[in-house]
Every structure is written in structure tokens, then in C-alpha cells.
Amino acid sequence: MTVLTSDDAARGWLASQPGVDAVAMARLERLVALLIDENTRQNLVSAGSLEHVWLRHIADSAQLLVHVSHETPGPWVDLGSGAGFPGLVIAALRPECEVVLVESRTRRIEWLTRAAGALGLDRVKVAGARLETIEPFRAGVISARAFAPLDRLLDLSARFSTSDTIWLLPKGRSARDEVTQLQGWSHTFHVEHSLTDAEAGVIVGQVSGRVSVKKGRKR
């Protein structure tokens, strides 16, 4: 099991990934600079995590791309984007992909909008509203980092999913337990190990619909 343990290792891994060229790395460098500057005005991420920003935030976000092909259709919907992880990193590495950042907090909305503009990410859309109020549309990929427990997350966002939608959910140490305990959904979720934390996992899979727990029937 490969686990990155330093910023140098994270940078090296990123630079070795398919399609990540000098332009993409420069875009990530710019994102890091913007994040550090903005963090002096609002607490986007913990100050301590900035000491290992490439490992804790950039590579941790970018690893989701390992689980989808480059041809996977969009839009990529990132729920509760907050500081922009993983959404802004995905957009920086796949600028041709439509990425929708869902965020309800005003100052975070403003940050995401400014950052996307500064990085020239013209295919990023910031959906500045509570998830419950957004009109549903078909997502190609749905990601969420520390947004909600898995059962609650599905309750809120399955209306954006088709049977082809790929879900990518970094879940830390709770990943396996959340999949094991999930009831009421027909799914193919499994857990992949995290490249940035030996004890963390990423839930990967698809959802085909709700099921009746009593009768085992989809509805």
C-alpha cells in the first residue's frame, strides 16, 4: 500500500500523474498561494495543515482522479466545497471538465468564485445555496469531503445521481463502517485506501436507487 508522507512526496506523485504537466503544477502552486493568503482573512483550513498543504489538501484531493477515467463525463459536483477541496483541485487538474462547487456560506462562496477566476477556471460554477434548494441535474461524478455521514449524504444528494454516476467520498477512518452500516440503498460502494493517510479510506462506487429494507425492493 502506497502512502505519501511528506509534501515532497506529494508533489512528486502529482507530477508523475497522467496529464499533469508544468502548466497544471503551476496552477496548483497558484492555488496554494491564494489559499495561504485568504487563510489570513478567514479560517478556510487549520493553520497547522498549511505546513503540509500539498499532502493534506492538494494530493488528498487529487487522489480522487485515480478512480475515474479521463473520459468520465461531467459535470463533476463537489458538495460542501468549503475551502475548495477537492473541487478546486479537480478543476485545476481537469480544466476542460465542468465542475460545480456547492457551498452555502457567503464568505466561502466569495472565496471559491475569486479563486476560480484567478486560476482561469472558466468551467467552474459555484452553486451558492444550500444543497436542498438546488434544482437537481444529472452529475457524472459526485464528491464530498467531510460533508455529512454517508446515509445523510445520500438522502440529500442522490437526486443528482444516475446509475452511472461515480461517487468519490474521502471518509477518513469511518469509511468502512459507514459502508457496512448503510441501509436502504442499492449500491456498489467499496473502500479504497487513502494515498495520504494509512488509516483513512475513500468510498468509491455507484448508487442505483433506494430499496425497501423490509421487502428488499427498489423504488
Side-chain angles (χ1 to χ4, degrees), residues 75-77 98 100 102 125 127 134-139 159-161:
W76 184 307
V77 181
E98 181 184 357
V100 180
V102 179
K125 175 184 177 181
I134 296 174
E135 287 294 318
F137 55 88
R138 294 182 176 183
R159 60 201 177 94
F160 296 94
S161 179

Side-chain angles (χ1 to χ4, degrees), residues 102-147:
V102 179
E103 176 56 52
S104 62
R105 292 166 290 183
T106 300
R107 295 189 69 192
R108 303 295 173 92
I109 294 167
E110 293 169 350
W111 149 252
L112 293 169
T113 302
R114 288 196 306 272
L119 296 171
L121 300 173
D122 56 12
R123 301 218 66 193
V124 167
K125 175 184 177 181
V126 180
R130 292 184 63 82
L131 179 59
E132 301 92 319
T133 68
I134 296 174
E135 287 294 318
F137 55 88
R138 294 182 176 183
V141 180
I142 294 175
S143 62
R145 186 193 196 201
F147 179 66

